[in-house]
Amino acid sequence: SFVVRVTVGEFSGEGEGKSKKIAKKLAAIAVLEELRKLPQLPVTDKIPLRIKKKSKSIIKVGDDLDLLN
């Protein structure tokens, strides 16, 4: 039997299980349940993310080989 404690800021939760994985999962669920009791944050306007697109290559690799022959 394994016992795990998870702490997030001032919130903590414990989980117990037959394996470490199960104990960790139960501890995380306990903390999430505590965090869900908090009041909702006010909704703000989302700022769109600026994502740079990769530039496309003009010359293909196969074309370079044909020029050398």
Side-chain angles (χ1 to χ4, degrees):
S1 181
F2 294 90
V3 178
V4 175
R5 174 175 287 152
V6 174
T7 304
V8 177
E10 60 188 54
F11 302 96
S12 65
E14 282 191 4
E16 183 177 351
K18 294 180 182 179
S19 69
K20 288 181 186 179
K21 185 176 181 179
I22 293 172
K24 287 178 183 179
K25 185 174 181 177
L26 293 174
I29 289 171
V31 171
L32 284 174
E33 288 174 359
E34 290 295 318
L35 292 173
R36 285 190 179 125
K37 293 177 185 176
L38 293 173
Q40 292 288 325
L41 294 174
V43 178
T44 61
D45 293 334
K46 293 183 180 179
I47 300 171
L49 298 176
R50 294 183 183 183
I51 301 172
K52 290 185 177 181
K53 293 184 180 181
K54 292 183 179 179
S55 60
K56 294 183 180 181
S57 177
I58 296 173
I59 301 173
K60 294 182 182 177
V61 175
D63 293 343
D64 291 342
L65 296 175
D66 291 337
L67 295 174
L68 297 174
N69 292 333

